[in-house]
Amino acid sequence: MKYEIMKRTSWWSFATFIILCSACAASRNTQPSIAVSPTDDNSQFVSISEAVPDAILEIRYYSTYNFVGTRIDGYEAPTALLTRQAAEALRAVSDDVRRQGYRLKIYDAYRPQKAVDHFVRWAADLPSTTMKPYFYADLDKSVLFVQDYIAEKSGHTRGSTVDLTLFDMRTGKELDMGGTFDWFGPESHPDFCGNPETGEYTGDNSKSPTDRSITAEQFAHRMILRRAMLAHGFKPLYSEWWHFTLKDEPYPDTYFTFPVRQLVGR
């Protein structure tokens, strides 16, 4: 009798276990997965010129002065767009640096997926190296994918990332950052020749394949921009001193597809 009771109890426990496991599996299968979703809805975007009226725009991908050498697909006007939240945070950055004697200069902000696709096609076209001396002189074009300079997705396409520098109101020129926007190489890294966490200049240029370097003043200029951006809710990218993304970006899983153009009626 005792054996029978134990036998029935064991069977019931096993059956209960199976039912619970099945329920858990079903629950997992019905949970909404986090997916990257494309959309052409621009209703939550604003023009940087509207949010930050004193920002200077030099939209490189609307021009031919970029690493591709032609206007990039999806750039239909020399304007810059951001999500409302990112634009508000950028205005706070602008107020901050203006008190220090600088203005923001914008190279790029929201970037449609069509533009990213253009970069990918260009990177696969190895003979096309018109702008190599200006943007990737130290690299063979064949490594741009491998070293993550070109990728099939970009944070810019989520609408809360901006590429920018500082304009010195005293001299009437861009602040000297020791390197050009979109330079492909370790010289563009925030930690090149210094420690961005402490702001200390070390002069260590050992990462440069051709012994390039930047001065203590140039590193300090990069830090002025970095400190202002971080103080107002942006986070940096490890490989580009000019690139920042809003920490609490509103659309972390959405890739927008609408072109860069003037927003009508806003």
Side-chain angles (χ1 to χ4, degrees), residues 7 31 46 50 73 76 87 97 99 109 115 118 137 176 193 198 227 233 237 241 246 253-254 263-264:
K7 187 175 179 181
Q31 288 293 325
V46 297
E50 177 185 339
D73 292 352
E76 298 180 2
V97 299
R99 288 191 291 268
H118 190 165
D176 182 3
C193 287
T198 63
R227 282 194 298 271
L237 182 67
W241 58 259
L246 189 67
D253 305 306
T254 302
L263 299 177
V264 179

Side-chain angles (χ1 to χ4, degrees), residues 10-32:
S10 298
W11 179 89
W12 174 254
S13 298
F14 179 72
T16 303
F17 175 75
I18 293 298
I19 292 170
L20 289 174
C21 285
S22 298
C24 289
S27 175
R28 284 197 297 271
N29 290 336
T30 57
Q31 288 293 325

Side-chain angles (χ1 to χ4, degrees), residues 197-216:
E197 302 304 320
T198 63
E200 177 190 7
Y201 176 76
T202 63
D204 179 9
N205 67 338
S206 58
K207 293 182 180 179
S208 175
T210 56
D211 204 35
R212 298 178 190 271
S213 190
I214 62 173
T215 67

Side-chain angles (χ1 to χ4, degrees), residues 75-257:
Y75 285 81
E76 298 180 2
T79 190
L81 311 176
L82 281 175
T83 60
R84 296 180 185 278
Q85 295 88 335
E88 289 173 5
L90 192 65
R91 179 163 189 159
V93 175
S94 176
D95 292 343
D96 187 339
V97 299
R98 192 172 181 83
R99 288 191 291 268
Q100 302 177 60
Y102 307 111
R103 292 169 65 184
L104 299 181
K105 185 171 185 177
I106 311 298
Y107 294 126
D108 193 35
Y110 161 68
R111 181 183 307 163
Q113 185 59 43
K114 181 184 290 188
V116 179
D117 296 341
H118 190 165
F119 294 161
V120 170
R121 291 195 308 274
W122 168 82
D125 182 11
L126 296 183
S128 178
T129 56
T130 304
M131 304 302 283
K132 178 178 171 65
Y134 309 102
F135 295 100
Y136 53 104
D138 300 341
L139 295 175
D140 188 277
K141 189 178 177 181
S142 63
V143 307
L144 297 185
F145 273 122
V146 177
Q147 297 187 17
D148 292 331
Y149 291 109
I150 303 293
E152 294 182 350
K153 293 293 183 183
S154 168
H156 280 273
T157 312
R158 301 194 300 266
S160 295
T161 293
V162 60
D163 292 336
L164 75 174
T165 190
L166 295 174
F167 181 87
D168 190 336
M169 291 191 288
R170 181 181 59 83
T171 64
K173 299 178 181 178
E174 282 185 28
L175 208 55
D176 182 3
M177 300 293 192
T180 186
F181 161 68
D182 262 354
W183 174 262
F184 295 166
E187 299 85 359
S188 294
H189 294 191
D191 65 355
F192 183 65
C193 287
N195 184 340
E197 302 304 320
T198 63
E200 177 190 7
Y201 176 76
T202 63
D204 179 9
N205 67 338
S206 58
K207 293 182 180 179
S208 175
T210 56
D211 204 35
R212 298 178 190 271
S213 190
I214 62 173
T215 67
E217 183 179 40
Q218 290 165 337
F219 180 79
H221 290 168
R222 294 184 180 190
M223 294 302 102
I224 295 172
L225 175 63
R226 181 186 177 93
R227 282 194 298 271
M229 296 298 287
L230 269 60
H232 297 285
F234 288 89
K235 59 184 178 182
L237 182 67
Y238 79 96
S239 57
E240 299 173 351
W241 58 259
W242 57 80
H243 176 117
F244 297 89
T245 299
L246 189 67
K247 284 182 182 178
D248 298 321
E249 57 180 313
Y251 307 106
D253 305 306
T254 302
Y255 284 81
F256 293 89
T257 57

Side-chain angles (χ1 to χ4, degrees), residues 49-68:
S49 295
E50 177 185 339
V52 188
D54 66 337
I56 301 167
L57 303 187
E58 186 182 327
I59 309 305
R60 292 285 183 86
Y61 301 140
Y62 181 79
S63 75
T64 59
Y65 182 50
N66 57 60
F67 60 84
V68 175

